[in-house]
Amino acid sequence: MTDIRNREAQEAADRASTYEWGFSSDIEQDFAPKGLNEDTVRFISAKKNEPEWMLEWRLKAYRAWLTMEEVSWAKLDIPAIDFQDAYYYAEPRAKPKLGSLDEVDPEILRVYEKLGIPIEEQKVLAGVEGARRVAVDAVFDSVSVATTFRKELEAAGVIFRSISEAIREYPDLVRQYLGSVVPQRDNYFACLNSAVFSDGTFVYIPEGVRCPMELSTYFRINAENTGQFERTLIVADKGSYVSYLEGCTAPMRDENQLHAAVVELVALDDAEIKYSTVQNWYPGDAEGKGGIYNFVTKRAICAGARSKVSWTQVETGSAITWKYPSCILKGEGSVGEFYSVAVTNNRQQADTGTKMIHIGKNSRSTIVSKGISAGKSNNTYRGLVRVNAGAENVRNFTQCDSLLLGDQCGAHTVPYIEVKNPSAQIEHEATTSKISDDQMFYAQQRGLNAEDAVALIVNGFAKEVLQQLPMEFAVEAQKLLGISLEGSVG
Amino acid sequence: MLKIENLHAEIDGKQILNGLTLSVGAGEVHAIMGPNGAGKSTLGYVLGGRPGYEVTQGSVSFEGQDLLDMAANERAAAGLFLGFQYPVEIPGVSNVQFLRTALNSQRRARGEAEISAGDFLRLSKAEGEALGMSMDMLKRNVNVGFSGGEKKRNEMVQMGVIDPKLAVLDETDSGLDIDALRVVGDGINRIMRQPHKAVLLITHYQRLLDIVAPDFVHVLADGRIVRSGGPELALQLEREGYGAIAA
C-alpha cells in the first residue's frame, strides 16, 4: 500500500503542473480521523511509515503539549481554537496522467500567477525548456508531490528531501538535529507541531559545498479544517552555503485555518544559510472573517565560528501572524540578520520580529523591520537583542520603520534589549510615518492611479528589505505588496 | 485647448477661486502673476485634480473634455502636466523608476504600447543631459537630498520625458540661481514652445519671462483674473507692483 502511495506521489511529482491549483481544488483526501489524541499521532506516524524512535518522539511531544498553555503575551486577539475540531492529516491522491506537458491548462498557469508563484518557477512547474534552475519541492497540503533537480543536487552531495523521506533515509542526521534548535517544549505551538507534523523539508549541505541552485518550497493549505504542521530542518555543514526560498499561498476558505510550522536552521563553522519567505496566505475578508492563523516558530543556531544566518521575510497574508525568526549566535564572530516587511490590511493582526541571542564573542546582528499598516489592522514589531555576559565585542544594529495608511490602523514597536556585557554596541532606530497626501497627488499627477501610487510608495519604503530577496522573489514580492494593499486607499 | 469659465473653488470650506475665467489656445504661453494668497497655486491644484480642492461652480474643458470630471491620473494621461512649486520626495523610489512607471501608466491609459527599457533609458538620459541632470542623479531617489534648484530641474526632466500638451508650471523659477534659471527656461521653450502645445506659467517675477516670453499676461487677485494683457503688462507689474494694478 505504501509503495503504491509512494509511486503515485512520484508520478505526481513528474507532472506537478497537472494538478488543479485552483482556489477550491477538488482532490480526494485521505484524512486522519478528526480530533487530536495519541491515536491521531500514531496514525500520522504509521501513515509516514516512521521508525519507532520517531513515533516515541512525537508521543513525548504530545504528552508535553497537554500540559502547556497558549501564548498570551503577544499583542494579538486570538479567538479560542478548538483543537479537537480539526483534521491533522490530509493527503492528496494522484490524478490520471496526462499525455504531455503541452496539455497544461492555461487556467492553471493563470492560477499560478494569481498565487504569486514566480514566473521562472511557473516555467519549471510547467516544464518549460531553459527555465532558470530553481529546485522546487512543492508541498501540496501535507505530502511532498514534486521534487525536481534531485539528481544534480545529489551529485553535489546535497540532500533535499521531504522530512518524511529523510526520516527514513537519513535517520541519524535527522535524529541528531531535529528539535536541537527548537526544543519540543519551546512553546505551545512548536510542541503541537512536534507531535503532529505531517511533512516538510529536510536539507543537508555537506562540508565545503555551495549549493548549486536556490532551493524552493511551496506550501499550500488545501483541505478545509486541516491544520498544517510543516517541519523544516536545514543543516549547513562547515564552510557550506545555501539559499532557501519559502513561498506560501492558500485558497480562500471561510473557516479559520491553523498553521503552526517549525523551522530549524543549523549553521556550522563558516557556513551560511539565507532563508527567504514570501507569505501571502488568505488574510480573511474585509470584516475579518476567515483567514489563516499563522503561528510559526523559526529559529537558527549559528553554532560554528564565523557562521551566518540571514532571515528575509515578506509577510502580507494570514489573519493572525505570530512569528519571530531568530538567531542564536553561539559561534565566535557569527552573524545574524533579519530583514522583514510585514503588511497588514483590513482586520489583519501581525505580531512579528526576531530574537538575536548573542553568546559568541564578536558576534554581530542586523535587524531591519518595515511594518506597513492599513485598514483597521494592527502591526507589531517585537524584537529581543540579548547579549550574554561572556559575549565580548558584540554589535547590533536595529532599525524599525512603520508606515501607516489611513487613521484606523495601529503600528507598535516593542524592542527588548538585555545586555550583560559592557563591551556591546547596540543601536536602535525607529520611525513612524504616513503616506502623505503630497506624495499621493504627486504620483497621480504624473499618471499613476491611486493603487499603483500606494504600491510604488510602499515598495520604496520596503526597498532595503526587498533588496535582500533573490531576484525572482523580489519581483513577486513587489507585486504582492501592491495586491495586499488594494482597497486601502479611497 | 483649455477653457476655464467662472471657476469657483474652495478648500476646507474656504473660498479661494472666485469666478476665474481664462482661455488658452494651442501654441500659446500664458503667464499668471499675482500677489501671495491670490489663488495661483490653488488654480494649479484644481486643474491638476488634487483631492480636497472642491469646485463649487464653473467649468473647465481641456481639448473638449470635461476636465473636472476626470481623476488626476486621467488628466495626466490626457496631456496635462503640473510642475510643482515644492516637488515631493519619495524615499526608496528612483527617479527613473518613478518616471518610467508614470510614463507607462499614461501610455496604457491612452491605449498605447509601453515604452521599452532601452528607449526609456535613451529618452531620460537625453532629457537629463539637456537639463544638467546626470544619470547618477536620475538613479537617486525621487527628489530625496536634492537642492531646490535640482528639484526644479528634475520637474523639467519629467516634463521632457512625459511630453505633455499643456504644462501648468507653479513657480518653477523659485529657488533657482541665474544659471539654473536659464537652463530651466530654455527647457520650457524647447519642450513646450510648439504649435500643438501650451503653457500656463505661474510666477512672481519677470526674470523667467525674459527667457520664456509669454504671449499673454494675467493678473490674478482674490481668486479671479483682474487684468489681462500682453508681455508689457508683466513689465508694468515689475515697475509698479500688484497694488496699483489689482486695485
Side-chain angles (χ1 to χ4, degrees), chain A residues 358-490:
Chain A
H358 291 266
I359 300 170
K361 290 174 186 168
N362 301 313
S363 54
R364 286 176 288 136
S365 60
T366 302
I367 298 169
V368 178
S369 165
K370 304 274 184 176
I372 299 150
S373 324
K376 295 177 176 171
S377 67
N378 261 305
N379 200 329
T380 302
Y381 167 81
R382 188 182 301 278
L384 167 68
V385 177
R386 178 185 290 158
V387 179
N388 284 8
E392 298 287 333
N393 300 316
V394 162
R395 295 199 61 170
N396 162 265
F397 173 74
T398 300
Q399 186 185 332
C400 292
D401 297 327
S402 303
L403 187 68
L404 302 172
L405 281 76
D407 52 12
Q408 295 184 67
C409 53
H412 316 273
T413 300
V414 190
Y416 303 80
I417 299 172
E418 298 173 14
V419 179
K420 292 181 179 146
N421 186 306
S423 65
Q425 283 184 49
I426 311 288
E427 290 174 72
H428 182 96
E429 292 178 7
T431 66
T432 302
S433 53
K434 290 184 77 165
I435 291 187
S436 72
D437 294 344
D438 283 343
Q439 287 174 327
M440 284 299 293
F441 178 58
Y442 193 57
Q444 287 173 273
Q445 207 297 310
R446 294 297 181 259
L448 281 74
N449 64 36
E451 284 178 351
D452 288 348
V454 168
L456 186 85
I457 294 164
V458 165
N459 273 297
F461 171 76
K463 191 179 188 177
E464 282 169 273
V465 173
L466 298 177
Q467 279 174 338
Q468 299 295 326
L469 288 172
M471 183 62 94
E472 65 269 56
F473 246 32
V475 173
E476 288 306 319
Q478 281 179 19
K479 288 187 198 144
L480 204 52
L481 291 187
I483 291 167
S484 305
L485 291 167
E486 273 176 9
S488 64
V489 287

Side-chain angles (χ1 to χ4, degrees), chain B residues 225-240:
Chain B
I225 306 277
V226 293
R227 185 132 171 224
S228 296
E232 74 288 345
L233 180 57
L235 296 166
Q236 191 189 343
L237 280 171
E238 187 95 333
R239 279 196 313 273
E240 301 172 13

Side-chain angles (χ1 to χ4, degrees), chain B:
Chain B
M1 175 178 281
L2 180 73
K3 231 174 153 56
I4 304 173
E5 301 232 34
N6 192 31
L7 187 62
H8 289 68
E10 59 181 44
I11 179 161
D12 297 332
K14 191 175 174 238
Q15 180 104 349
I16 309 283
L17 296 185
N18 196 14
L20 190 148
T21 296
L22 178 67
S23 190
V24 178
E28 297 174 357
V29 171
H30 291 240
I32 306 272
M33 306 182 79
N36 289 325
K40 297 193 301 297
S41 290
T42 296
L43 175 62
Y45 285 146
V46 168
L47 293 177
R50 181 163 188 150
Y53 288 75
E54 200 188 337
V55 174
T56 51
Q57 237 192 94
S59 64
V60 182
S61 78
F62 177 55
E63 298 218 297
Q65 288 177 280
D66 180 358
L67 193 73
L68 301 178
D69 203 31
M70 299 158 78
N73 56 305
E74 293 168 345
R75 299 181 194 198
L80 188 148
F81 178 91
L82 178 61
F84 282 61
Q85 184 180 0
Y86 303 106
V88 180
E89 300 183 2
I90 308 179
V93 178
S94 72
N95 285 295
V96 279
Q97 184 194 354
F98 177 65
L99 197 43
R100 193 173 165 209
T101 308
L103 182 59
N104 280 330
S105 297
Q106 292 197 17
R107 285 181 168 227
R108 275 197 309 274
R110 293 192 293 257
E112 299 166 10
E114 294 192 6
I115 191 170
S116 73
D119 286 347
F120 174 78
L121 208 63
R122 275 188 288 281
L123 179 61
S124 53
K125 191 161 181 270
E127 284 300 333
E129 277 170 5
L131 287 147
M133 297 278 281
S134 67
M135 212 54 208
D136 271 358
M137 289 201 68
L138 294 181
K139 282 178 181 165
R140 280 164 53 185
N141 294 335
V142 178
N143 292 320
V144 177
F146 281 20
S147 70
E150 285 167 343
K151 285 179 181 175
K152 294 300 174 67
R153 277 189 280 152
N154 198 26
E155 291 288 284
M156 294 301 103
V157 173
Q158 292 181 11
M159 186 171 79
V161 169
I162 287 172
D163 194 24
K165 290 177 189 160
L166 172 68
V168 179
L169 304 177
D170 188 5
E171 298 199 21
T172 294
D173 52 343
S174 67
L176 296 181
D177 61 31
I178 294 166
D179 293 343
L181 187 73
R182 169 59 65 183
V183 169
V184 165
D186 287 348
I188 297 170
N189 284 331
R190 179 179 55 84
I191 298 162
M192 298 304 298
R193 260 295 185 193
Q194 297 186 41
H196 63 290
K197 294 184 173 186
V199 180
L200 209 53
L201 210 53
I202 296 170
T203 182
H204 272 299
Y205 303 107
Q206 173 62 34
R207 54 180 201 173
L208 179 61
L209 304 182
D210 290 339
I211 305 168
V212 185
D215 303 299
F216 302 93
V217 175
H218 310 276
V219 179
L220 184 64
D222 296 328
R224 67 168 75 106
I225 306 277
V226 293
R227 185 132 171 224
S228 296
E232 74 288 345
L233 180 57
L235 296 166
Q236 191 189 343
L237 280 171
E238 187 95 333
R239 279 196 313 273
E240 301 172 13
Y242 293 122
I245 286 170

Side-chain angles (χ1 to χ4, degrees), chain A residues 62 71 124 132 168 378 425 458 473:
Chain A
Y62 174 70
V71 294
V124 171
R132 187 167 178 271
R168 294 191 295 268
N378 261 305
Q425 283 184 49
V458 165
F473 246 32

